[in-house]
Amino acid sequence: MGIVTPGFQGRPRAEAPDLPPGQYLTPDFPVLSAGPTPRVPRDTWEFVISSETGTEYRWSWDEMMALPQETPTVDIHCVTRWSKLGTTWRGVSLDTLLDGVDTAADYALAHSYGGYSTNLPLEDLRDGQAWLVHTYDGDDLPAEHGGPARLLVPHLYFWKSAKWVRGIHLTVEDTPGFWETAGYHDYGDPWREQRYQGD
Amino acid sequence: MTALPYVDGNMLDGPLGEVFAVDLSTATARCAHCGTTGPVAGLRVYSHAPGLVGRCPTCVEVMVRLVRAPDRAWLDLRGTTFLQIPIP
Amino acid sequence: MSWRQARLVAHRAETPTARTLVLEVPGWPAHLPGQHVDIRLTAPDGYQAARSYSLAAPVDGERIEVSVQRVTDGEVSPFLVDGYREGDPVEVRGPIGGWFVWRPQQTEPVLLVAGGSGVVPLMAMIRARRAAGSRVPFRLIYSVRTPDDAFYTEELRRRVRDDAGLDVAHVYTRQAPDGWRGEPHRLGLADVNTHGWPPELEPLVYVCGPTGFVEAVSDLLVGLGHPARRVRTERFGPTG
Ligand SMILES: Cc1cc2nc3c(=O)[nH]c(=O)nc-3n(C[C@H](O)[C@H](O)[C@H](O)COP(=O)(O)OP(=O)(O)OC[C@H]3O[C@@H](n4cnc5c(N)ncnc54)[C@H](O)[C@@H]3O)c2cc1C
Ligand SMILES: [Zn+2]
């Protein structure tokens, strides 16, 4: 720990008993960005799941919106230590999207407009744990928060919830994504504080 | 004016100074994607992120990533073909 | 490069929303005008925040100066402007950056273009020029919202009078002082043509301020024919 500067508090933050270790609550919704924010028009947007054998399953914006929609309210935990409780989203469950996808893969690599990617086990996208969301707090998801659509996998650190997501490659081997190749954890469970490789 | 969320490669010297003894802000780097060669100080650095991401000012691809854990640092230079460092 | 403990030994208001901090940093090595430091603050619970600040003054032993603009809703700058008290410690890392610097040995004419708090490292260059007795022609174009937002107003006036070869032009974007010719406007081609150096003189140009400002001005300069490698930039981020 560094030298304490009297009077310095930093951003309002609170510790709460229901937070993962090392996290604090924030009233804001900080915007993190590792590159320029892609602007993806809905009429050219598409979402593609490609299996390990190369079969592709595609949805246009309208096709995705025509699928059954859910409204999850979840807690999110960013690896930069802020957490936000009770956030409400709207979108399609990954169970719905993966239904009918023929695969024996164990891993998924989500990839985004703008070049971002992140890896996670396929089973973490199933069983009501993950969504493709297009609405936050009742409004269209703003581009700086990943709109038109992002992944939402709230039981893992938030970098796994790829912004501007455009598709998912299903893979037999785990393929590290953008942050995972640069030191961040392949799984990223906030409750076990899996921030960095080896944690 | 839009709020552009990046700063210059100049600032990498602080965080990279923990890893290297040389001043990389006076170094020259070649982008592995488009081949542009220019000062590391001229990279576009995105710092509001889980790590620092330095992008080529010409093609905006990633040239440098630096992730800092309390007890370790990762430096990923796969987007950089070479670094030329002046040794006065 | 490691964190050093520093202490606030003096301060002065620059504008109603900005102040200069004089820090004493034991063991401080020399620095060059244009370089910056990272300042790190630690809260009682161990929470830390670090930000970059340009050095405002040339070398002065173990004393360094930074000038901080308060950013509304910012985490660090409101504390440094309003809350940080004399005698209290912070941590400092630096000097940082060997590219956006001016060395007194340089001989080419210099054009400095500042937006808001972006004037800080450029002021360090102006002060270093004087300290070194350099006669290199310097021009500063300084864009601010209103006269009240301008840093170093008195000192710049004095230096224009006393430092031969230094010119300063202000551009106001929201509200101009009485007697200023023209309407408030964003810094544009005409300003750079009137108050800058033509590319044929091969000046070295330093542009500093919020990222959007630096982007716009460096495009303008390159469009006028200044080679990109002679336009050095320091972007302060979206807020500047
Ligand atoms: C090399 C360098 C030198 C600088 N020198 C000076 C100086 O001399 N004087 C001075 O006053 N300032 C200077 N700055 C700016 C300074 O480092 C801080 O950014 C500024 O003081 C605001 O900090 P804050 O904690 O108050 O605001 P923050 O809490 O950091 O930010 C306020 C708002 O702006 C957003 N934001 C800020 N920075 C970024 C970013 N990089 N990417 C995305 N969003 C961002 C935040 O998300 C937030 O919404 C310099 C910056 C750099 C990079
Ligand atoms: Zn490139």
Side-chain angles (χ1 to χ4, degrees), chain C residues 3-236:
Chain C
W3 294 99
R4 297 167 200 270
Q5 189 173 339
R7 208 164 46 82
L8 184 64
V9 292
H11 59 91
R12 53 181 185 270
E14 295 296 347
T15 75
T17 57
R19 83 168 165 165
T20 291
L21 309 176
V22 183
L23 299 168
E24 196 165 83
V25 197
W28 180 253
H31 63 268
L32 293 166
Q35 290 190 299
H36 65 274
V37 291
D38 289 342
I39 295 186
R40 181 164 80 176
L41 301 172
T42 303
D45 64 355
Y47 175 83
Q48 293 186 323
R51 297 290 184 275
S52 302
Y53 292 97
S54 300
L55 291 158
V59 180
D60 177 18
E62 296 189 329
R63 289 195 167 200
I64 61 169
E65 288 189 19
V66 296
S67 302
V68 181
Q69 170 68 49
R70 182 170 71 217
V71 171
T72 314
D73 299 329
E75 176 167 40
V76 168
S77 62
F79 174 78
L80 291 178
V81 175
D82 302 317
Y84 183 34
R85 285 179 321 220
E86 237 168 87
D88 285 347
V90 289
E91 287 174 291
V92 167
R93 175 172 74 186
I96 297 170
W99 170 251
F100 191 82
V101 296
W102 180 76
R103 292 180 168 81
Q105 310 85 284
Q106 287 174 210
T107 54
E108 60 277 75
V110 170
L111 172 60
L112 309 171
V113 188
S117 56
V119 72
V120 176
L122 309 182
M123 192 65 186
M125 297 178 189
I126 291 173
R127 288 168 168 165
R129 172 182 181 274
R130 170 70 185 203
S134 161
R135 300 179 147 268
V136 167
F138 260 45
R139 285 184 169 176
L140 167 67
I141 308 177
Y142 183 12
S143 167
V144 285
R145 264 181 254 189
T146 74
D148 278 351
D149 294 309
F151 288 23
Y152 316 129
T153 305
E154 266 318 304
E155 183 181 341
L156 281 172
R157 196 171 295 151
R158 197 161 22 94
R159 289 194 181 276
V160 168
R161 194 190 61 207
D162 300 344
D163 298 9
L166 170 69
D167 290 309
V168 176
H170 285 80
V171 171
Y172 303 92
T173 60
R174 296 271 173 82
Q175 180 214 319
D178 293 340
W180 190 66
R181 267 181 290 159
E183 289 297 305
H185 62 272
R186 288 219 171 121
L187 195 148
L189 207 57
D191 304 296
V192 177
N193 271 332
T194 313
H195 304 295
W197 300 110
E200 299 73 55
L201 282 182
E202 306 193 340
L204 199 51
V205 189
Y206 297 86
V207 188
C208 185
T211 299
F213 173 88
V214 171
E215 216 60 64
V217 172
S218 46
D219 284 355
L220 208 78
L221 288 160
V222 171
L224 278 174
H226 293 272
R229 73 193 144 75
R230 279 212 302 272
V231 178
R232 301 198 174 178
T233 55
E234 184 78 285
R235 295 170 172 86
F236 277 5

Side-chain angles (χ1 to χ4, degrees), chain B residues 29-78:
Chain B
R30 184 174 199 269
C31 172
H33 304 276
C34 74
T36 301
T37 302
V40 172
L43 300 189
R44 294 182 173 184
V45 178
Y46 290 81
S47 56
H48 273 42
L52 294 174
V53 180
R55 291 179 177 266
C56 170
T58 304
C59 73
V60 196
E61 291 289 341
V62 177
M63 291 178 62
V64 186
R65 281 178 295 175
L66 179 67
V67 167
R68 185 73 166 86
D71 55 347
R72 287 166 289 166
W74 287 265
L75 179 64
D76 184 321
L77 285 168
R78 79 186 65 188

